[in-house]
Amino acid sequence: MACRRSNDYEQSGIEPAYQDIKPPASSNPNLALNKAATAYFSDGSTASMFSGYDAAKAVDGNAASYALANGQHIWQLQVDLGASQSIGRMVVKMPQSLYATAFDLQTSTDGVTFATVKQVTGFSSGTSSNTIPVIKARYVRVVAVAPSGPDQAGVEMAISELEVYAPTPNQNLAYNQAATAYFSNGSPASMWSGFEASRAVDGNGATYALANGQHVWELQVDLGFNQSIGRVVVKMPSTLYATAFDIQTSTDGAVFTTAKQVTGFASGTSYNVIAATNARYVRVVAVAPNGPNQTGVEMAISELEVYY
């Protein structure tokens, strides 16, 4: 999974027209609070901890306490959320005098195979709030990268609190997920160099995906697992756009259902509330233009966004 290197990535918020569906903060509790926490050294062995600074201190809801390993600078904190569930944000708090200047955030469904969902660099204590591509996970980890030895900034990683949250209605479920383009016969679409399918889910409205060789093509995004969706936002540049396109959904990637048919589009942003459905795959399928010398020239997709 692609990850973004930064200290604190704030994903673009909900569009103004939909601000009223944003839930109060209290409706999204910390999934890691008081869950089972374990610390490990980089070789996988259980980490020894300073007395009174055991792993549980990182999930006790008290930012004045913290977890701190004894004997090695590089260690990691793992929390078992108790069951696999959808997560979309991880918050890491570290004390002023003991912190990692660089660390990785990892997730796993089985506690064996972990994927890095965010790499944080240039951190300098306090709070690192990290919106991540929505993923299903049971286990989460904070893995120290630096300082890796004595006499380095931060001294050693200590964790005051690790907080984990489910995605909220204003979080784009398609952000940085796997995207693929196809021609109408089902074959993988060739794309113009620099305009690959991934450009449509990179969170950057200045880039876009554009197929090469056929006017009618489709963009498919894999949300990672089946989840309830209710809104699909499609953005297209002013010079390359579909005047008509379909929005389709699927649970298995094989059988798709058309959730919305859009006509009379003239570039910009298409906000589409659809009937609430369970889906893993979402497609935008070009209908027109379907040949040369037609309005819109050819469909290009700046961003495909999917929301609960």
Side-chain angles (χ1 to χ4, degrees), residues 33-34 56-66 159-161 163:
L33 181 63
N34 288 330
K57 299 294 186 181
V59 290
D60 63 359
N62 178 10
S65 65
Y66 55 85
I159 301 177
S160 304
E161 287 297 309
E163 302 171 359

Side-chain angles (χ1 to χ4, degrees), residues 213-216 289-298:
Q214 295 184 28
H215 284 77
V216 175
N290 58 6
N293 304 317
Q294 296 179 27
T295 302
V297 184
E298 180 185 343

Side-chain angles (χ1 to χ4, degrees), residues 93-106:
K93 300 178 181 179
M94 299 185 190
Q96 184 175 5
S97 57
L98 293 163
Y99 57 89
T101 54
F103 58 90
D104 293 344
L105 301 178
Q106 299 181 344

